[in-house]
Amino acid sequence: MTYMSITCENESYWMELDEERYAWRQVIIDRDSRLHASCREDCLAEGAVTDSEEDLEGECRDIPQAAFEEIWSMAVKDYHSEWMQTKEKYPVGSIVQGICQHFYPHGTIVKGDDFDAVYQGWEDAILRKSLTAQVAGYDETNMWLVLYVL
């Protein structure tokens, strides 16, 4: 993974990119200094991210992983207690139902009434449609249930 930040018009974008330069995690710091994490909001960059200032508006720079992890930790710290409750409520093997919200490199992001999840199954997921699936595990970094279709 590589890490970069882009500063543009009083906002900054902090990204974790894979070898093909697709974002896996992202934090946006908005004009009001609020932090938005891609694990809780649909704010992950779409498509491969270039580091060319000609292609992007703003100042781009590579950052160390530790700098990204620090910002990520700040962005998700308020969700840890909720995440612990979610894992307790939905142990592996639980059946859950949610709505397919968007596609990420990780899989289809599913929102339930009281959980966020990533569906990594082989069945097609349809945006804005309900999905019933089984909890197969946990993505601790993103605080998501990992789902597979029954």
Side-chain angles (χ1 to χ4, degrees):
M1 295 290 192
T2 59
Y3 302 85
M4 71 179 295
S5 72
I6 303 168
T7 303
C8 178
E9 297 181 17
N10 299 321
E11 291 188 336
S12 60
Y13 305 82
W14 298 68
M15 295 178 230
E16 176 183 59
L17 305 172
D18 67 13
E19 299 76 30
E20 296 175 351
R21 305 215 36 102
Y22 286 93
W24 279 77
R25 290 187 290 164
Q26 181 171 322
V27 175
I28 297 172
I29 305 174
D30 69 20
R31 291 180 167 90
D32 299 319
S33 299
R34 289 184 304 233
L35 286 83
H36 306 271
S38 59
C39 65
R40 292 293 177 188
E41 300 178 44
D42 183 17
C43 63
L44 194 65
E46 294 180 14
V49 176
T50 177
D51 58 0
S52 168
E53 291 185 26
E54 296 167 3
D55 294 335
L56 295 170
E57 295 179 20
E59 177 187 341
C60 305
R61 63 186 170 100
D62 291 332
I63 58 172
Q65 180 180 358
F68 176 84
E69 296 296 349
E70 184 177 334
I71 292 295
W72 181 261
S73 292
M74 289 172 30
V76 301
K77 72 179 178 186
D78 292 340
Y79 301 109
H80 284 287
S81 174
E82 178 185 324
W83 173 234
M84 297 309 288
Q85 292 172 3
T86 299
K87 290 193 301 183
E88 204 170 287
K89 184 173 180 178
Y90 299 107
V92 171
S94 299
I95 307 302
V96 298
Q97 186 172 31
I99 303 296
C100 298
Q101 294 292 312
H102 43 270
F103 300 116
Y104 273 4
H106 319 73
T108 303
I109 304 305
V110 177
K111 297 277 186 182
D113 289 338
D114 59 354
F115 68 86
D116 293 311
V118 59
Y119 166 64
Q120 298 177 333
W122 56 92
E123 299 276 330
D124 287 338
I126 301 169
L127 289 180
R128 294 177 288 287
K129 295 290 183 184
S130 180
L131 176 76
T132 300
Q134 185 172 31
V135 176
Y138 307 105
D139 179 329
E140 295 290 345
T141 302
N142 289 295
M143 296 180 288
W144 293 332
L145 301 175
V146 176
L147 306 178
Y148 287 93
V149 169
L150 304 169

